């Protein structure tokens, strides 16, 4: 808790597993600053997948993801984090390919920054990101967040493609009951 991870680069690596998958850290309660994940493949067969962090309860600042492929079966996927209850600020996701594979009976969310946002996403940028779903039932995808119950402010989305089948999809958020 309250730890700091900063100035790290992870490139051309493969991460696979059953539960939550990420290239930097599984669960963040501290600060992740100035980290880059580039050209990686991340795949979870039954958990959340985020390039920087799976579940964020702290702060992720000034991080970049470039050219990664990330997928989650029966859970959420995000370019920066799969689930955010903290703050993601000034992060960029570029040329990433994200996918959710629905085999179960619960909601799944995918977004360029976060699959599910229950925190704050501020000043983030999404550039040329592809997000795919294999089912039009219980799926929600967005350029910034698949589901937003928090705050999204001062973000930009450019050339984001929401492909495949979706129940809800949007340029910023697939579903939003937040700010």
């Amino acid at each position: 808790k309250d730890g700091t991870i900063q100035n790290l680069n992870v490139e051309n690596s493969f991460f696979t597993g059953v539960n939550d998958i990420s290239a930097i850290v599984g669960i963040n309660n501290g600060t992740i600053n100035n980290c880059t994940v580039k050209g990686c493949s991340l795949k979870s067969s039954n958990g959340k997948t985020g390039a920087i962090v799976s579940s964020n309860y702290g702060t992720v600042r000034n991080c970049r993801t470039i050219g990664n492929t990330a997928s989650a079966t029966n859970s959420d996927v995000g370019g920066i984090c799969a689930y955010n209850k903290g703050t993601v600020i000034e992060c960029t996701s570029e040329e990433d390919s994200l996918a959710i594979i629905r085999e179960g009976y619960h909601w799944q969310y995918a977004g360029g920054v976060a699959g599910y946002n229950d925190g704050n996403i501020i000043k983030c940028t999404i550039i040329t990101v592809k997000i795919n779903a294999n089912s039009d039932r219980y799926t929600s995808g967005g350029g910034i967040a698949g589901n937003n119950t928090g705050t999204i402010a001062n973000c930009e989305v450019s050339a984001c493609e929401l492909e495949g089948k979706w129940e809800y999809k949007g340029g910023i958020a697939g579903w939003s009951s937040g700010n």
Side-chain angles (χ1 to χ4, degrees):
K1 186 174 178 174
D2 299 325
T4 299
I5 297 172
Q6 62 186 11
N7 303 322
L8 296 177
N9 294 311
V10 178
E11 291 189 35
N12 303 319
S13 299
F14 298 89
F15 304 90
T16 60
V18 175
N19 295 312
D20 296 358
I21 300 293
S22 71
I24 302 292
V25 65
I27 296 174
N28 177 46
N29 286 303
T31 301
I32 301 171
N33 187 42
N34 197 35
C35 293
T36 300
V37 176
K38 182 177 180 181
C40 292
S41 174
L42 304 101
K43 182 179 181 181
S44 174
S45 61
N46 200 37
K48 295 183 284 296
T49 304
I52 301 291
V53 58
S54 292
S55 296
N56 179 49
Y57 300 94
T59 300
V60 178
R61 178 184 296 274
N62 195 34
C63 291
R64 291 181 58 108
T65 63
I66 306 164
N68 300 298
T69 302
S71 66
T73 301
N74 295 328
S75 196
D76 306 331
V77 65
I80 303 296
C81 57
Y83 176 75
N84 178 48
K85 187 141 176 99
T87 298
V88 178
I89 186 167
E90 297 172 342
C91 292
T92 301
S93 182
E94 185 175 350
E95 297 181 3
D96 290 334
S97 179
L98 311 172
I100 51 175
I101 302 159
R102 186 175 170 275
E103 294 177 351
Y105 298 99
H106 62 279
W107 279 92
Q108 286 181 255
Y109 308 102
V113 175
Y116 191 110
N117 177 50
D118 192 26
N120 301 298
I121 299 175
I122 302 165
K123 295 182 182 177
C124 291
T125 304
I126 303 302
I127 305 167
T128 318
V129 172
K130 292 183 180 181
I131 306 171
N132 193 301
N134 73 335
S135 175
D136 61 359
R137 298 284 297 147
Y138 304 110
T139 56
S140 182
I144 300 293
N147 187 15
N148 176 53
T149 57
T151 298
I152 297 173
N154 301 316
C155 294
E156 296 181 26
V157 176
S158 175
C160 179
E161 295 180 35
L162 290 152
E163 301 173 329
K165 301 175 180 181
W166 294 95
E167 185 157 348
Y168 301 105
K169 63 182 174 179
I172 300 297
W175 177 268
S176 182
S177 58
N179 298 313

